Amino acid sequence: MKKQIAILGSTGSVGTRSLEVIKSHPAHFGVEVLTAFNNPDLLIQQAIEHKPNVVVAGNEKHYQKVFEALDPLNIKVYAGSRAIEQVVEMESIDQVLLAVAGFSGLKPLLSALRNKKRVALANKESLVVAGQLVAQTAIENQAQIIPVDSEHSAIFQCLMGEGNNPVDKIVLTATGGPFRGMTATGLEQVRPADALKHPVWKMGNKVTVDSATLMNKGFEAIEAHWLFNVHPANIEVIVHPQAIVHSLVYFADGVVKAQLGPPDMFIPIQFALSYPDRLPNKLPPLDLLQLKHLDFEAPDIKNFRNLALAFEALEKGGNVPCILNAANEIAVQAFLTERIGFNQIPEIIEKCMETSTFIQNPSLEDYLETNRLTREKAKQSLKNT
Ligand code: MN3
């Protein structure tokens, strides 16, 4: 039986890689739905190759172009963000792969879970911003979330077969990014182009900057809390530049389980689609003798303050992670366009966290409002810098 997949965000870095995974296993996976916000040309090209039933152009201004190209091929074409939420209701979808970027991933995720779809989740913001709501919706609808992010995929795999065995702690590994070992003075000088040179992983611009600031790891700690129900005090981050150990779980009896593998997103994407089965692929196997050693060190939270801010947001809970995410999005954008320096990113986020109204149990509307207000506030503090 072929699994029919809906890929939301098919033109991004995880989306395109997912299509490679699907293409390499034609007996196991089919493409039922493709959606993309930008890049209509690539969306059209992907649809011609993979022949989905439905395509959604998230951005309505691309509808006409996509419709004209795909309607003659008997592919249904819709447009707009509401259509993305609705399309995941389709009976014919076995699994959703959510790879859209940013906060806009939340609504389609909730819609997929309410429709009891298994979701391979690559969107970080939905869990960072509204983890409580997402976790609750998944439980209520008995819908399963399979993480795509390499660290969470590792933890998920370490927990397979553990039943109710309690977890002592979770350790997330981080490469440390391109600025590992630099001081605050050195960081003062870094430019966007330097931040975009990630030593190991190839990703989109936003997440690559987040890796350089360590915010990405802070987000991953928040995600891990909601995915695996582990107390914030029992989540740690360790720097491991080779990115071979993808994360670890410590158990009560002193046993530590880790998942190792080559640093290639093909592997966690394939597992999130094939779960609970494992499928072969053509990647070169991990060669430990060639690696010789694996290094580990403590993260530098004095010079990379975003990581500490993320843990603070996780511990405070409520709408604070939403504030963290919104302020970070504006600050990273400002850094990419050279309006602010690297060290100002945490300054802007901290200011927003200190001056926003705390909401203990936010509703979806509260999250949307917090997101909007924080963006305004962050833009305001950009003007004052
Ligand atoms: Mn990751």
Side-chain angles (χ1 to χ4, degrees):
M1 260 281 282
K2 254 195 196 186
K3 261 188 210 168
Q4 292 297 337
I5 316 283
I7 303 182
L8 312 188
S10 65
T11 57
S13 108
V14 171
T16 48
R17 203 81 175 118
S18 305
L19 285 170
E20 287 171 35
V21 171
I22 289 173
K23 192 178 171 181
S24 70
H25 297 288
H28 292 87
F29 310 121
V31 179
E32 181 68 8
V33 175
L34 291 177
T35 85
F37 198 80
N38 290 316
N39 209 339
D41 296 319
L42 181 56
L43 178 62
I44 290 166
Q45 191 192 316
Q46 290 176 335
I48 291 170
E49 183 177 354
H50 293 275
K51 302 181 179 60
N53 263 318
V54 175
V55 162
V56 183
N59 189 341
E60 290 174 26
K61 76 172 188 211
H62 300 312
Y63 172 76
Q64 205 54 37
K65 184 176 195 177
V66 178
F67 176 81
E68 277 163 23
L70 300 180
D71 186 61
L73 306 173
N74 272 327
I75 296 171
K76 294 180 206 77
V77 179
Y78 304 105
S81 43
R82 274 292 290 149
I84 298 177
E85 283 169 57
Q86 284 164 349
V87 81
V88 296
E89 295 172 13
M90 283 166 60
E91 199 78 37
S92 53
I93 296 171
D94 297 310
Q95 183 164 336
V96 173
L97 190 137
L98 189 74
V100 303
F103 191 61
S104 58
L106 179 60
K107 283 186 174 180
L109 172 60
L110 293 173
S111 173
L113 295 174
R114 285 191 194 111
N115 286 282
K116 306 192 187 305
K117 303 291 183 193
R118 176 184 280 176
V119 179
L121 184 62
N123 172 272
K124 282 177 194 282
E125 288 80 356
S126 50
L127 275 177
V128 170
V129 169
Q132 193 168 359
L133 183 62
V134 171
Q136 208 179 314
T137 308
I139 291 168
E140 278 168 15
N141 295 284
Q142 292 178 310
Q144 206 168 8
I145 298 175
I146 318 289
V148 170
D149 203 351
S150 59
E151 295 79 2
H152 304 90
S153 176
I155 296 166
F156 184 86
Q157 294 179 63
C158 291
L159 292 174
M160 280 167 65
E162 290 294 341
N164 292 322
N165 287 333
V167 165
D168 252 20
K169 88 178 167 185
I170 274 175
V171 178
L172 296 164
T173 53
T175 61
F179 306 142
R180 184 170 61 92
M182 280 174 77
T183 61
T185 341
L187 291 171
E188 203 63 64
Q189 314 298 325
V190 302
R191 309 284 298 275
D194 308 317
L196 294 176
K197 284 181 209 133
H198 195 276
V200 183
W201 298 101
K202 271 199 173 36
M203 307 171 289
N205 282 358
K206 164 72 167 45
V207 55
T208 306
V209 174
D210 285 339
S211 293
T213 67
L214 295 193
M215 181 58 96
N216 182 53
K217 214 48 58 177
F219 284 164
E220 290 180 357
I222 300 175
E223 292 178 79
H225 167 66
W226 293 114
L227 283 169
F228 308 112
N229 195 19
V230 175
H231 192 276
N234 300 329
I235 301 173
E236 276 176 26
V237 170
I238 193 166
V239 171
H240 166 45
Q242 292 95 349
I244 297 297
V245 178
H246 295 303
S247 279
L248 313 91
V249 180
Y250 283 61
F251 293 96
D253 57 356
V255 165
V256 182
K257 281 165 84 172
Q259 185 253 318
L260 284 71
D264 190 324
M265 282 307 289
F266 195 96
I267 297 172
I269 293 170
Q270 176 179 297
F271 185 70
L273 295 178
S274 70
Y275 172 82
D277 301 328
R278 291 192 186 276
L279 297 175
N281 58 44
K282 293 200 171 70
L283 293 176
L286 181 64
D287 184 348
L288 287 173
L289 291 178
Q290 208 198 334
L291 275 167
K292 291 194 176 68
H293 56 93
L294 298 171
D295 301 313
F296 300 95
E297 64 190 45
D300 175 5
I301 54 169
K302 233 182 88 219
N303 291 315
F304 296 84
R305 291 181 48 232
N306 278 359
L307 184 59
L309 290 171
F311 269 91
E312 190 186 320
L314 173 58
E315 272 149 30
K316 287 187 174 155
N319 64 337
V320 184
C322 178
I323 298 165
L324 175 91
N325 175 68
N328 181 61
E329 258 184 54
I330 300 295
V332 168
Q333 200 50 47
F335 170 71
L336 281 170
T337 53
E338 308 207 53
R339 281 195 63 187
I340 59 169
F342 191 82
N343 291 336
Q344 281 173 288
I345 299 174
E347 283 172 23
I348 287 170
I349 299 167
E350 187 169 41
K351 203 159 157 201
C352 289
M353 282 170 65
E354 279 170 357
T355 57
S356 301
T357 314
F358 178 67
I359 306 172
Q360 180 80 58
N361 287 306
S363 64
L364 179 57
E365 285 64 38
D366 292 329
Y367 285 124
L368 296 170
E369 188 61 3
T370 300
N371 181 56
R372 192 183 66 77
L373 287 173
T374 308
R375 287 164 162 279
E376 262 173 36
K377 195 184 285 257
K379 281 180 189 160
Q380 203 56 46
S381 57
L382 284 178
K383 280 189 193 142
N384 302 336
T385 55

